[in-house]
Amino acid sequence: MDLFKDIPVLVTGGAGFIGSNLTGRLLEEGAIVTCLDNFATGHRYNIEPFLEHANYRLIEGDIRDVNTCNEACKNRLLFSIRLRWDLFRVQSMIRPPPMRSISVVR
């Protein structure tokens, strides 16, 4: 099934575990995927299989930057991945990670 065939999609947090798996599936479905990630918690090795894919584009940047966000969001369906494995750990409650401040509504 090519549900997303030729649909431009933005995956924020695309270099993370969940985002990279979503990206792989979207590419299999024929989507044109743009990944936006600042690599605060994501890893390049998660996206290496996609870097040479014709329908894949990486934007390395922070979604909190207005210009980066505007460039990434242009004419794309948005999948925003904001999940962190350590959100419920005591350490993250004492010193919240920067992801807590990322909530963009357009």
Side-chain angles (χ1 to χ4, degrees):
M1 175 191 300
D2 292 328
L3 182 63
F4 290 96
K5 179 118 176 91
D6 298 326
I7 302 290
V9 175
L10 169 64
V11 178
T12 63
F17 177 77
I18 296 171
S20 61
N21 281 282
L22 175 60
T23 295
R25 180 56 190 236
L26 288 167
L27 289 170
E28 286 175 11
E29 292 288 329
I32 302 165
V33 179
T34 297
C35 164
L36 172 61
D37 206 300
N38 64 0
F39 294 94
T41 58
H43 302 282
R44 290 195 185 278
Y45 59 77
N46 286 334
I47 60 169
E48 282 178 7
F50 316 128
L51 292 175
E52 300 300 320
H53 196 289
N55 285 350
Y56 181 81
R57 176 179 174 221
L58 170 64
I59 298 175
E60 185 171 347
D62 196 315
I63 198 166
R64 294 172 292 181
D65 178 76
V66 174
N67 293 327
T68 301
C69 187
N70 284 336
E71 175 192 348
C73 291
K74 269 187 197 153
N75 304 316
R76 291 180 180 87
L77 181 63
L78 174 64
F79 287 92
S80 182
I81 308 301
R82 297 177 54 227
L83 188 62
R84 279 198 40 155
W85 66 271
D86 65 345
L87 280 179
F88 300 106
R89 291 176 49 200
V90 174
Q91 173 187 351
S92 68
M93 297 311 213
I94 295 168
R95 191 168 27 127
M99 286 57 167
R100 294 254 176 95
S101 65
I102 303 171
S103 200
V104 177
V105 179
R106 296 190 87 205

